[in-house]
Amino acid sequence: MNYYQENHAAFLEGLKAWLRIPSISTLSEHKPDIRRAAEFALNELRAAGLAGELIEGEGNPLVFAEWTGAPGAPTLLLYGHYDVQPPDPLDEWKSPPFEPEVRGNDIFGRGTSDDKGQTYILIKAVEGLLKTRGKLPVNVKFLIEGEEETGGEHIESYVGTKPARLKSDAAIICDTEMFAPELPTICIGLRGMVYAELHVEGANHDLHSGVYGGAAPNPMQAVAEIICALKDRDGHIQIPGFYDRVVPPSPKEREAWARLPFDERDYTEKEMGARELVGEPGIALLERLWARPTFEVHGIRGGFTGEGAKTVIPARAVAKISTRLVADQDPAEATEQLKKAVAQACPRGVTAELKVLHSAPPSLVNPDNRFIHAAADAMSEVFGKPTVYIRSGGSIPIVAAFEQSLGIPSVMMGFGLPDDNLHAPNEKLHLPNFYRGIEAVARYLDLLG
Ligand code: BES
Ligand code: MN
Ligand code: MN
């Protein structure tokens, strides 16, 4: 047995300890947990033999640690995030979100797959090499953030201002999914996004809907009208110019996607638990998910939602909305287009204001470089199958900054599975993927060294 196989139990216990810290970045009352989760990662990296520190600024601490004892060998930037999404709805969890529990071959808990479990894969891979050999085949710099789930604004400015300190040849990210169980996968494309609140105001106070109905503007109705004006019933976005920069996938990529093992019925009924799929007619499913922009409503607040009936015309309403962007859309331009479309769709009698909460560019990585090829080889070896290249509909804001500010490609080796329930109740990580992930990353570092 090698170090990795001998230490399964220790790895699992370590991960559980990290998972018990509810480091929810969207809720300010969890600031102390954010700090504890950052310190946990730093301690792990120090114990593994790296030199590191917390980088404190305006946002949540960044964890930085490095080992640079391999002159002449490549330098890798290992990225992950220690923050997690809120766990609600709580009553749908089979075991409490921050009391990790192993059931069968899976570990359940918030952050298991996204992204503490996967970040831990990187940490343990490096630890194993250092513990058994006293050195690494490559140089490594870890950069682990605590704001990914809220837009990652601060890490972006850090990366922009510290290119010398972060200088590397490629970034390694474990924060994506395998396309199917047992199928080693590298993700080469992510969508970007613009996330915003739509604030609509009508009269300056709530009004009796009988006394004023027929004359008073209704902000709730206005929110609905604006939303319906921005995307038609076919799922086609109606924001002028929005598709102008959308680059279609190459014929080669389309062919490769069509060959991926995929059961649309299982996807719809088992994975999503839905009745049928929707979206732009005539565009293949994977293309809709990976290479087309979206417009989605996440929540609408306002008016009366309590028990029973209350006849009121609310004075204001707010909707949380977002669009996902694909190459070569630009978040600033998309924001302008969205703002204009909102103004145009706004009905009489109300005002509509769009407040952008965060945005991120899309990213598309050219896979023809030795860092990605070696990753594909390492994953194929460990999983015993050829590695597939996919894109993902999700977003990891920092990937575009790695490209733009540091000029390096990101190698996205994901060990999550499609049914991991990211951001949802009963998030899990498949433990065989956890252990194989650690070995695959270790093998990868060796191949590059
Ligand atoms: N790890 C996910 C993104 C992801 C999920 C990529 C699955 C590929 C496959 C990440 O933590 C995430 O959830 N990102 C947010 C970003 C946003 C808040 C800026 C997202 O995509 O909604
Ligand atoms: Mn993530
Ligand atoms: Mn996430």
Side-chain angles (χ1 to χ4, degrees):
M1 285 224 288
N2 66 25
Y3 180 87
Y4 296 108
Q5 291 151 358
E6 275 162 14
N7 280 285
H8 278 192
F11 295 165
L12 185 59
E13 280 319 302
L15 174 59
K16 280 184 177 174
W18 202 14
L19 292 168
R20 286 193 192 100
I21 307 172
S23 45
I24 306 165
S25 53
T26 45
L27 305 174
S28 47
E29 68 261 33
H30 285 283
K31 282 284 175 218
D33 300 316
I34 283 283
R35 167 159 296 278
R36 281 202 296 141
E39 279 164 358
F40 184 98
L42 179 60
N43 289 339
E44 287 271 345
L45 288 162
R46 283 182 174 156
L50 289 87
E53 58 169 322
L54 291 189
I55 297 164
E56 315 260 7
E58 256 175 61
N60 296 340
L62 279 169
V63 183
F64 179 82
E66 62 185 341
W67 186 95
T68 52
T75 301
L76 299 179
L77 185 59
L78 277 51
Y79 165 88
H81 62 94
Y82 64 80
D83 64 323
V84 299
Q85 286 275 327
D88 53 88
L90 276 175
D91 55 340
E92 287 182 28
W93 286 80
K94 293 202 185 94
S95 53
F98 296 106
E99 292 169 32
E101 186 174 285
V102 174
R103 297 198 293 275
N105 271 329
D106 299 315
I107 180 166
F108 288 83
R110 177 56 89 231
T112 45
S113 181
D114 186 14
D115 182 41
K116 284 174 180 161
Q118 295 208 60
T119 303
Y120 212 59
I121 286 174
L122 293 171
I123 298 175
K124 294 294 130 173
V126 167
E127 173 191 297
L129 294 174
L130 279 171
K131 292 276 181 225
T132 51
R133 303 181 195 161
K135 59 184 172 73
L136 297 177
V138 294
N139 304 292
V140 297
K141 299 179 181 181
F142 274 85
L143 189 61
I144 305 175
E145 72 161 315
E147 294 177 12
E148 195 276 342
E149 301 290 7
T150 54
E153 245 50 91
H154 291 102
I155 190 177
E156 204 179 307
S157 53
Y158 185 77
V159 168
T161 51
K162 291 282 185 293
R165 186 174 200 196
L166 299 176
K167 189 175 184 316
S168 323
D169 298 293
I172 314 304
I173 301 177
C174 298
D175 193 21
T176 53
E177 300 171 340
M178 307 204 313
F179 187 76
E182 315 284 313
L183 187 62
T185 304
I186 289 180
C187 175
I188 59 156
L190 294 167
R191 289 196 282 201
M193 78 181 321
V194 176
Y195 196 111
E197 283 178 354
L198 173 64
H199 290 256
V200 176
E201 296 191 5
N204 72 0
H205 57 279
D206 287 4
L207 300 168
H208 189 291
S209 70
V211 175
Y212 297 98
N218 187 324
M220 285 300 282
Q221 169 85 25
V223 162
E225 283 176 24
I226 293 169
I227 287 167
C228 290
L230 295 184
K231 187 170 82 179
D232 70 17
R233 292 172 69 95
D234 271 343
H236 198 76
I237 299 167
Q238 296 295 332
I239 301 171
F242 213 65
Y243 291 95
D244 288 359
R245 289 189 199 278
V246 171
V247 181
S250 68
K252 218 176 114 201
E253 213 175 6
R254 275 206 182 104
E255 271 164 41
W257 294 355
R259 280 198 304 272
L260 290 167
F262 189 75
D263 182 329
E264 192 164 312
R265 189 150 170 188
D266 265 11
Y267 172 78
T268 308
E269 290 171 13
K270 293 216 181 93
E271 190 179 327
M272 286 180 39
R275 277 164 206 88
E276 62 176 305
L277 301 180
V278 301
E280 294 172 280
I283 298 184
L285 174 61
L286 294 179
E287 187 168 341
R288 301 207 298 280
L289 297 174
W290 297 346
R292 300 290 288 175
T294 65
F295 172 83
E296 296 294 343
V297 193
H298 307 293
I300 302 179
R301 190 172 70 220
F304 176 69
T305 57
E307 198 184 335
K310 180 186 177 195
T311 46
V312 67
I313 296 176
R316 60 188 67 84
V318 182
K320 303 250 185 191
I321 59 174
S322 77
T323 68
R324 297 272 169 177
L325 310 176
V326 299
D328 285 325
Q329 285 181 287
D330 168 61
E333 186 183 48
T335 301
E336 280 320 300
Q337 292 169 333
L338 181 61
K339 280 190 172 162
K340 264 195 205 144
V342 165
Q344 216 133 55
C346 182
R348 284 195 302 139
V350 300
T351 59
E353 194 196 347
L354 198 75
K355 292 184 185 165
V356 174
L357 301 190
H358 58 74
S359 65
S363 43
L364 195 52
V365 185
N366 181 345
D368 293 326
N369 63 69
R370 72 176 181 113
F371 297 99
I372 289 187
H373 292 160
D377 291 345
M379 290 187 85
S380 296
E381 265 183 47
V382 171
F383 286 86
K385 271 188 197 167
T387 299
V388 296
Y389 293 93
I390 67 166
R391 297 197 206 176
S392 168
S395 309
I396 306 175
I398 200 60
V399 173
F402 286 157
E403 170 87 50
Q404 276 159 27
S405 299
L406 305 179
I408 57 173
S410 287
V411 181
M412 293 182 266
M413 307 168 78
F415 301 102
L417 287 180
D419 64 352
D420 275 352
N421 296 320
L422 305 186
H423 296 198
N426 304 305
E427 180 182 343
K428 60 129 176 102
L429 178 65
H430 192 53
L431 284 171
N433 283 13
F434 176 58
Y435 301 124
R436 281 187 294 200
I438 296 170
E439 295 204 41
V441 172
R443 181 76 193 117
Y444 175 54
L445 300 183
D446 259 344
L447 283 179
L448 279 182

